[in-house]
Amino acid sequence: MSGASGTNFNIRSDLVANNTATVAKSVGCTDDTDSPATLECLRATPLELLRDVSVSLSRQLRPPFGELSFYPSYDGDYIPDRPSVLLRKGSFVKGIPIIASWVANDGAWYAPPLLKDDASVLATFQTFVLGLSKSSLQRILTLYPLSDFEFLPRPDEEATAQYYRAAQINRDIWFTCPVIDFTWQYTRYGTSNVRLYSMNQTKYGPILKYMNVPQWRVCHLSDIPYMFNEDLAAGGDNSQAQRELSAMLSGSAAAFAHTGNPSSSNGHVFKEWLIAYPDRSKQTLAKDQPEEMNIYIAGGSEGNGPAHIASGRQSDGSGEREKALAWEKLFERCSFINSIQQEIGV
């Protein structure tokens, strides 16, 4: 889900400072950008003008939505270090039960559909992640071989296997691996009540087809209307089956908030939604990366239910949910991505 600490890329770079200086100059605040006079000038500028200039610059720098043109930056004071460092020091509020998630195709809109080669795949996230070394980029390509994605293109979608490869890499860098890292570090410091889910269904299907982007499939934000138990306007899929899934996810969230157990109600909730990291032995918690996880799968062809995966044994599970997760190679891929956080700048 959006907001994991590992998505605040390049926190030690001067990218945000440079973008802020560009906005200041664009609205006529031309003094030294670090001066009190510039700050006063920006405070006197109409909010609407600042908004329009900032949004326009963001979308120009990082189309189509302008993400990560402005975000909190390391200053040694209010933000004393990179988030991944603070997590590993235990510098956060502890003891809060957590539900965390990602959706099946979270990275879908970060890649153009007709990608043809490795360089184009890398370019889809190098726009956002600025500090990756050549060896890390090559390792990422190796961890996501094109052959893993050649079965994904459909006749009714104008998208290549390289597109789906890029989308999966983006999903893991932006969402899945940061969520796993955050929840694991949180668990290591004493919070056992952590639950994970992967959203494998969307109400946006008809809308994406109308937008001519059916390849986005279960795209980012797909879980929101389920979590808030809302129908979608503008032609969304509001079938009875979708409403039932909405009732269960929102019901589980409400049960979790009330009791700490998302499966505790007798009403519309997901059953057997297990704690994410069940092994809390001292030996296990000493490790920087998890070696087993329980993930609840919400929606999709494999049906609702828990899945258990373990490093080195991802294919052992006999269930369809475990087999689908084995294809994602979460331990191998996220262990590497979460090991290069200094390069990513998180």
Side-chain angles (χ1 to χ4, degrees):
M1 189 175 289
S2 294
S5 57
T7 59
N8 194 19
F9 307 140
N10 317 305
I11 194 169
R12 283 182 176 268
S13 78
D14 57 3
L15 182 146
V16 173
N18 292 339
N19 291 345
T20 303
T22 299
V23 170
K25 292 175 182 178
S26 297
V27 299
C29 300
T30 56
D31 289 308
D32 178 1
T33 52
D34 289 328
S35 71
T38 298
L39 182 59
E40 289 304 316
C41 178
L42 287 169
R43 286 172 171 165
T45 302
L47 176 61
E48 294 78 8
L49 178 59
L50 284 176
R51 177 199 62 202
D52 292 346
V53 170
S54 299
V55 170
S56 178
L57 176 64
S58 298
R59 290 178 174 173
Q60 175 187 338
L61 294 172
R62 291 176 167 181
F65 303 116
E67 292 112 317
L68 295 186
S69 295
F70 300 96
Y71 51 80
S73 296
Y74 168 81
D75 60 2
D77 180 18
Y78 188 77
I79 299 179
D81 214 326
R82 292 185 291 113
S84 62
V85 173
L86 298 176
L87 276 175
R88 281 158 178 77
K89 291 179 177 178
S91 299
F92 50 82
V93 177
K94 303 172 183 69
I96 301 174
I98 292 174
I99 288 179
S101 69
W102 56 86
V103 306
N105 305 98
D106 253 327
W109 67 39
Y110 294 102
L114 300 179
L115 293 177
K116 297 295 186 183
D117 53 39
D118 289 356
S120 299
V121 169
L122 295 176
T124 63
F125 57 87
Q126 284 182 285
T127 302
F128 300 96
V129 184
L130 306 177
L132 293 176
S133 66
K134 289 183 179 180
S135 60
S136 292
L137 293 170
Q138 186 55 53
R139 178 62 175 153
I140 288 171
L141 291 175
T142 302
L143 285 169
Y144 296 81
L146 180 60
S147 57
D148 279 8
F149 304 92
E150 289 175 338
F151 74 98
L152 285 172
R154 297 173 180 170
D156 61 333
E157 297 175 351
E158 292 187 7
T160 64
Q162 290 280 29
Y163 161 79
Y164 291 105
R165 183 190 192 192
Q168 193 76 5
I169 295 171
N170 274 277
R171 187 201 78 158
D172 289 350
I173 290 176
W174 281 84
F175 303 102
T176 307
C177 300
V179 164
I180 290 172
D181 187 58
F182 172 74
T183 54
W184 174 242
Q185 300 305 328
Y186 210 81
T187 297
R188 292 180 68 205
Y189 280 92
T191 300
S192 61
N193 193 4
V194 173
R195 319 283 173 138
L196 295 174
Y197 77 90
S198 175
M199 191 74 225
N200 205 24
Q201 194 162 311
T202 187
K203 296 183 179 185
Y204 292 116
I207 298 173
L208 300 180
K209 187 174 182 180
Y210 176 80
M211 293 169 59
N212 200 32
V213 287
Q215 73 274 7
W216 287 8
R217 301 185 187 177
V218 185
C219 64
H220 187 52
L221 305 179
S222 285
D223 54 340
I224 301 301
Y226 298 104
M227 179 61 73
F228 290 99
N229 197 15
E230 293 182 342
D231 283 348
L232 279 184
D237 180 358
N238 299 313
S239 64
Q240 185 57 40
Q242 296 281 30
R243 289 172 174 167
E244 178 67 17
L245 185 58
S246 289
M248 287 192 289
L249 181 56
S250 61
S252 291
F256 184 76
H258 183 60
T259 68
N261 184 349
S263 301
S264 62
S265 171
N266 292 324
H268 283 72
V269 296
F270 293 136
K271 302 302 181 183
E272 299 182 275
W273 190 342
L274 305 175
I275 288 173
Y277 306 108
D279 184 353
R280 295 187 47 75
S281 66
K282 185 175 181 180
Q283 180 181 5
T284 296
L285 294 177
K287 298 174 181 177
D288 192 60
Q289 308 280 352
E291 294 185 347
E292 65 174 325
M293 288 185 286
N294 290 315
I295 303 170
Y296 198 92
I297 307 301
S301 59
E302 292 84 22
N304 304 323
H308 178 81
I309 55 174
S311 179
R313 296 185 284 113
Q314 288 176 281
S315 298
D316 289 353
S318 58
E320 293 304 311
R321 291 186 290 271
E322 284 84 0
K323 291 177 182 177
L325 285 172
W327 173 81
E328 297 187 8
K329 303 177 182 176
L330 290 177
F331 290 106
E332 183 181 9
R333 291 168 174 172
C334 287
S335 290
F336 177 72
I337 288 170
N338 289 335
S339 75
I340 57 170
Q341 291 168 327
Q342 185 171 358
E343 292 182 31
I344 296 173
V346 297

